[in-house]
Structures are given as structure tokens and as C-alpha cells.
Amino acid sequence: MSKIYKKMSTLRFKALESALTRVPRTVPAPEGKISDYFGQNVFDKNTMQKFLSKESFKQVLEAVESGQQIERRVAEQVATAMMAWAISKGATHYTHWFQPLTGSTAEKHDSFFELSDGNKPIENFSSSALVQQEPDASSFPNGGIRNTFEARGYTAWDPTSPAFIMESNAGKTLCIPTIFVSYTGETLDYKAPLLKALHELDQAAVPVCQYFDKNVTKVNATLGIEQEYFLIDIALFNARPDLETSGRTVFGHIPAKGQQLEDHYFGSIPSRVYAFMVEFEIEAFKLGIPLKTRHNEVAPSQFECAPVFEEINLAVDHNQLLMDVMDKVARRHDFKVLLHEKPYAGINGSGKHNNWSLTTNTGKNLLSPGNSPKTNLQFLTFFINTIKAVHEHADLLRASIASASNDHRLGANEAPPAIMSIFLGSQLSQILDEIEKTVVKEKLTPEEKTQIKINIGRIPEILLDNTDRNRTSPFAFTGNKFEFRAVGSSANSSNAMLVLNTIMANQLKEFSKEVDALIAKNIKKDEAILKVLRKYIVETKNIRFEGNGYGDEWVKEAKKRGLSNITTTPPALDAYVSKKSKELFKKNNIFTERELEARHDILLETYTKKIQIESRVIGTLSLNHIIPAAIRYQSDLIRNVEGIKAIGLKADSFKTQLDLIKEISEHLNVIKASTDAMTDDRRKANKIENVRSKAIAYCDKVRPHFDTIRYHVDKLELLVDDAYWPLPKYREMLAVR
Ligand code: ADP
Ligand code: MG
């Protein structure tokens, strides 16, 4: 082996060689059309009907509809049926599938296999195993609620989300969606509070619907989640310790051909990526995830998929499952899926647009304008109440999407800012402005009434040409739904959705109260509704923004309007424990104060851990990879200078070398000094007891070093011989083939 070769960064070049010589995998296609195998691994209504008695089936459906408990006797039948079905599908194990606050999903597998009394091997699955389990979960975050001395936690079956079978090469497992709570009843997961919020919303929305239609007895919230992600070759991923440990590249110079050309968006999908998409979609279809669209995204090697919307609880479960399936299938294609909000600096980040609406049991989308003034007044009611809810609790909504990784995305290129505003579209803005101008006195004049009716009646035809969709808003109305775009790509949407649905539930309750009070004063119903809506229009004007949310002018304008712009996670999370939020959650039976404080602590701790991990990997990469590589190249230069001198040439023959040697040293000095300072600040932060102060220290003291170190490392990347550079470069990682 030559001396030079030994000095070369072998891992990077081996990884490149692997990445460049891959052939697309042949995807094993299931028989038939998608509709033939859609949901084949789900214990859905149809399957249940086949396996259950008529009476039991009816009871399960009713329980799912009403949220009531399922009788033990029926649960026993369901358990037996589930096992029979799962075994017929080849499953050997079962698990309660839940969503602890770590962000991913958790499973603990048990086998159906048992030894019966006579030591006879049998398969068994009892109702108690279906309904409740006690995972040894002391390692899941609980914010002090459940320390090991105190009560243990348990998982409990959520019959509203159907069980499914997870397939892997090694075997099949029956997964049962569950909530996760402590023995003292505190929620320790994402699902339980979401279910509570959805229940509250239903309770609050039905009376409002009944102002317009007495047939409405149930309101469901719907959600369609667009999922953005990056793909990278697994070998290149493995050659980047930062991606492996923190999900993002902490160093890397932005390539000459970045995203400037924007030729990737809606371009043709590379064949290896295409094979991956086809296969994960097949797996998703089998699991009943109704994927609908796939395409390239703005950044190179960035993609997006989106399902048809579903009831929120199911949509969230499906998205969690989808992320898991994508990850598993990617490995078969030698890819790694990057779900981090900002894997590459200077290039678009990834979001998870949450398309949200409300539907009634009568089949009406409440955020879709109708064809008469009456249905349009109903539309306006829900539309304006949403604006009011967001206006009242903008900070809480901001908190619901706060995370260390999303901090990189909000306000960076092509991502909504951290300022919560709402985009309505010019036509709807105009309608609201007109309603506002109509002076609503105790009694409307006939002319005013006609005017309002005309305005309201005009909505449907107008929305048809509501084409000027503003993509820069964090919360935009898009014709028949609101789109919450600030949610991060790696997030569990439950967080954002439980907040959105809670504030909406609370708002609708307030609205009913105000309207009923006016009706009690003998004001006619429609007038009462209009009066309250008009008041809301006036009160919420400052969060309506139709302009460019990416621009600096908006930051200035928002400040003038008194809107907050909290750009980092620790202060953003304060909104969870404000007096206002505590009251809100308590009043709506979502969280007790103790639960909120625990959750707040967990989110802060998670933030601290993430920054700590990044800081450590930055330190290791700087000291053990970057500095040595630069010194090696510098030594070559020094030897070269000595050689040139030795053959008697003058200084102008090695001027470049000397300049490079000096420049490298300058960068090395800053990198070393900043890394030391960062380590020092980390030590200081680690000594802080208070969870919030510690997170703030990580945010304000440790994190700022990252940019300094990165700046100089990225400069070195441009100076050091390419053969020595240890980390795959942006150009290499982003060129997915
Ligand atoms: P775009 O990229 O233009 O935002 P997509 O088609 O990628 O649009 O995604 C739109 C998402 O919104 C889909 O998941 C779709 O199912 C969802 N959606 C449509 N109508 C509703 C609704 N009433 N409630 C919730 N989500 C909806
Ligand atoms: Mg969208």
C-alpha cells in the first residue's frame, strides 16, 4: 500500500464506490390491483365481521363510534378472533404498539405460544392480553411522574385504531394500537391526550352544528399528512457519524449546484428511488395506509408522499407506521431515509404539512363552503372560529411544533417562520372585511341583512378561483381545509393536533356560550351568530397575513403587530405551562397541571439531549477527523516547501504552499479553541439542576459554537486535498442515483 493511499480517507471513498455501483432492486409485486391487497394486513371492519358474532361486531362498532368501553365478554371474542386471523396470516407474536414521548413508536413482543396445564404447547391470546399490558417502561420519559418507586405504567387497547400485522423478513407480529398511561392515571404518551382532545372537539362542535342542522350528532376531525423526506445511500450515511447520531450534517460546504437550478421539483424520479417508493407503498397499502401522491421535492434527493386524509387518530397512527415502514424498506434498497427537519444546511428542510378539517356524521365538510347562504354561514362559523382559536393560542400552537430539529427549519430557506399567522386568500379576506364593515347594531337593517346575505352567498363561486395559494404561511386556508405547515418532518403529529383540536374545542364552547347569551336576549339566531363572528373578525385581524412569510419585512411587520417570533425551542415551550394554557387544558379535560409540567420537562430534557449529542459529535468530528486530515495535508505542504528549498528555488516558487499552510493553521486554531470552549460550556450546562435553565444554557451557550466551528471546517473543506477529506461531501450525498 502506498503512503498516499494510507493517508486517504478510505471510508469515504469506499462508500462512494458502493454508492456509485448500485443497481435498482427488483421489487416483488403482489398479485392484483392495489384495491385487491389494500388493508390485507389489517384487522379492519370487514375482517372483524367475518370473525365475530353479529352481536359482538355491533358492540365493537358502537364502542368505536361512541368511545364507550367494550364489555369483557366481547373483548374475549375479539381477542380470540384477532389471534385466529393473525395466525392464519402467519403471525407468531403480538405486541401493544404505543407512542411514548420519545417520538418513535414502542413495541414489546410476546408470543402467542404457551404451555397449557398438561405442558401441551398451544397458542393463546386472552382478552386481558388484548386489553391491557404492563411494558417494563421505566426507561420511557415521564418527567418525574413515574419514577421506578412509584406506580408502573400500562398500555390499554384503543379499539378506534385497528390492529395490524407487521411483516419483516424474520417473521410477522400482530400490533395492537394502545394508549400508555401511568397507574395513577397520568398520560405518558401522545395518543391518550389526542383522543381526549378529539372527544372534546366533538362535544363542542355538535351544538354549533345544530344551530344549522339538527341531524348532526357527531363531528370528526380529519387529517391528511404530507410527509417530506430525504434519501441518502446507506454507505454514505454510514460514513457520516453526524448523520448517524444526530440525523443531520453538522459540517459540509454547500455545493456549487445546490438547489439554485430547482430542476429537481417534479422532475423524473431516479429509478433506484422509484423502486424504493413502489415497495414502501406496497407495504403501506397492505397496512391500510391510503397513500395517494409521490413526487420529488424542491431540494435534490428530497421527496414527498401524501395519503388520502383520514380521521385524525388513524391518520396519526398511519403516519407513525409509515415512517417506520419507509425506514425498513429503505434498508432493502441500500438507502437511509432522513426524516430530520434539516439534514443539510443551506438546502430546503422537510416538513409534515398537516391538512386539517372537520366533518359531520351527515357527511358535510365544515370547512367547505356550501351552496346556500345558510350552509355558508355554517362554513364561516367554523372558519372564523378556527382563526379565533389560533389567534387566542398562537403561542401554544408554536410550542406544539417546537423541537431542536425544527428550530433549524422554521425561518430558514423555504420554510414558514416561527411567527404564527394565518393566510385566508384574497377573496375570503374580502368577505371578512365586508362583514366587519357592516355595523352590527342590536338589530340589522333589512339592507344590511341583504348585504351580508349576498356576501355570504357569494362564497362558493369565488372559492373556485381561489388559486393564489400562499405557500409561505405556517397556517393557510386551502379551499376546504386548513394546512398547518410548520409541523416538522420527524414530529409525531399528535402534538400539533392535540393542541389544535383542544383550542378549537375550547373556542367552539366559548362561541356557543356567546351566541346563546344573545339568543336569550331575544336576538335572532342568525343575527346572534353574525354578531359574534363579526366581533371575532375585529379581534383577530393582526394574525391575518397574505404577504410573503419568508421575507424580512414580515418579521418587522409582525413585531409591529405584536405577534411573537420565538425562534428557539426552550422559550417556545414555556407556552405549555403558562397560566392560560393550564386553564385551557384543565377546563377541557386534556391535561392536569401535573401532566403539563411533566410534559414540559420531558420536552426540555429531549431538547437538551439532542443539543448535547450534536455538540459531542461536533467535538469528535473536529478533533478526530477534521483537524488530523487538515494537518496531514499541511504536513505534505511543508515537506513540499522543504523540497523546493532543497533544490535551490526561491520563495516565489512556494508562495501558494506557504499561504495555504498559514490559512490552514488559522482555521485549525479557531476550530480547536471553539471546540474547547464548547466543551467547557457543555460541562457548565451539565451542572445545572433546573430543567429549563439547563435547556436554555444548551440553547444560548453551547449551540452558538456550532456555527463558528462549522464555518471554519467548511472553509477547510475547500482548502484540503480532496483525497484526504474524511466526510462524504454535500455533492456526493445529495446526488442520489
Ligand atoms: P398540496 O401539495 O397542494 O398541499 P397534496 O395533494 O399533496 O396537496 O396534499 C393535500 C392533502 O390534504 C392530502 O393528504 C389530502 O388528502 C388532504 N386533504 C384533502 N381534503 C382534506 C380534508 N377535508 N381534511 C383533511 N385533509 C384533507
Ligand atoms: Mg401542502
Side-chain angles (χ1 to χ4, degrees), residues 19 129 165 294 348 381 395 510 533 536 563 571 616 657 705:
I165 289 173
R294 55 160 104 109
N348 255 28
T381 297
D395 285 352
E510 289 298 315
L533 291 181
Y536 290 170
L563 301 179
R616 287 197 182 124
Q657 289 84 324
H705 295 294

Side-chain angles (χ1 to χ4, degrees), residues 346-556:
I347 284 172
N348 255 28
S350 300
K352 186 184 305 241
H353 295 179
N354 278 215
N355 295 271
W356 172 86
S357 191
L358 303 171
T359 51
T360 64
N361 60 309
T362 55
K364 175 95 186 72
N365 176 352
L366 293 168
L367 289 175
S368 182
N371 44 22
S372 68
K374 188 176 144 197
T375 48
N376 277 342
L377 185 57
Q378 173 171 293
F379 159 72
L380 280 179
T381 297
F382 283 91
F383 181 68
I384 294 168
N385 270 291
T386 310
I387 301 171
K388 176 74 173 159
V390 173
H391 178 264
E392 285 304 294
H393 296 281
D395 285 352
L396 187 57
L397 208 54
R398 164 69 184 95
S400 78
I401 48 144
S403 71
S405 46
N406 212 17
D407 279 358
H408 291 281
R409 171 177 166 260
L410 297 180
N413 43 331
E414 306 284 314
I419 308 160
M420 289 295 131
S421 68
I422 304 192
F423 168 83
L424 304 181
S426 54
Q427 290 92 343
L428 280 168
S429 295
Q430 210 181 324
I431 302 246
L432 296 204
D433 291 345
E434 277 162 22
I435 297 177
E436 187 193 336
K437 267 186 249 144
T438 322
V439 190
V440 186
K441 301 173 231 123
E442 279 308 297
K443 228 167 160 40
L444 289 173
T445 65
E447 293 76 41
E448 284 169 340
K449 258 190 216 168
T450 319
Q451 193 50 48
I452 289 175
K453 272 214 177 112
I454 289 171
N455 287 338
I456 293 174
R458 268 198 342 231
I459 297 173
E461 59 181 273
I462 287 171
L463 277 194
L464 287 179
D465 62 304
N466 185 24
T467 43
D468 57 338
R469 293 230 248 135
N470 185 327
R471 302 216 144 255
T472 67
S473 174
F475 201 91
F477 185 69
T478 51
N480 59 357
K481 60 189 187 292
F482 278 99
E483 186 169 340
F484 190 17
R485 301 205 183 98
V487 186
S489 50
S490 69
N492 182 322
S493 285
S494 290
N495 240 4
M497 285 301 112
L498 84 85
V499 167
L500 181 59
N501 289 289
T502 302
I503 63 179
M504 188 62 176
N506 188 66
Q507 179 50 45
L508 291 171
K509 288 179 200 170
E510 289 298 315
F511 176 73
S512 307
K513 236 191 269 166
E514 294 193 58
V515 170
D516 290 349
L518 291 178
I519 293 174
K521 282 198 229 156
N522 281 332
I523 296 180
K524 273 176 64 191
K525 191 175 66 187
D526 282 6
E527 262 170 60
I529 289 172
L530 267 172
K531 229 175 141 77
V532 178
L533 291 181
R534 183 182 174 276
K535 184 172 80 116
Y536 290 170
I537 292 173
V538 174
E539 287 167 355
T540 58
K541 271 174 100 172
N542 67 339
I543 56 160
R544 276 163 53 190
F545 180 60
E546 303 287 304
N548 176 16
Y550 294 166
D552 289 337
E553 304 79 51
W554 172 227
V555 176
K556 282 185 216 138

Side-chain angles (χ1 to χ4, degrees), residues 592-702:
T592 61
E593 216 173 303
R594 189 165 131 91
E595 283 175 316
L596 268 181
E597 264 154 17
R599 215 156 263 258
H600 183 230
D601 279 0
I602 291 166
L603 292 166
L604 286 168
E605 275 165 11
T606 307
Y607 176 85
T608 296
K609 264 187 220 145
K610 290 256 161 81
I611 304 295
Q612 191 177 50
I613 289 171
E614 282 186 13
S615 167
R616 287 197 182 124
V617 78
I618 288 172
T620 316
L621 283 180
S622 302
L623 298 179
N624 305 340
H625 296 243
I626 306 297
I627 293 181
I631 290 179
R632 240 176 276 148
Y633 176 52
Q634 201 185 35
S635 306
D636 283 359
L637 293 170
I638 293 168
R639 261 194 305 281
N640 178 271
V641 171
E642 285 165 356
I644 296 177
K645 274 188 187 163
I647 59 171
L649 290 181
K650 297 250 168 56
D652 62 346
S653 307
F654 45 81
K655 186 181 171 305
T656 302
Q657 289 84 324
L658 282 185
D659 285 350
L660 279 170
I661 291 167
K662 259 193 273 168
E663 252 185 273
I664 290 174
S665 285
E666 278 160 19
H667 292 303
L668 287 178
N669 288 344
V670 187
I671 294 171
K672 178 67 169 58
S674 302
T675 307
D676 289 347
M678 175 179 76
T679 312
D680 206 41
D681 283 326
R682 207 168 65 219
R683 283 206 192 100
K684 280 186 202 144
N686 288 343
K687 290 208 183 91
I688 301 173
E689 288 278 330
N690 179 283
V691 187
R692 184 177 179 276
S693 311
K694 188 171 179 171
I696 297 269
Y698 264 96
C699 181
D700 295 348
K701 295 282 188 296
V702 178

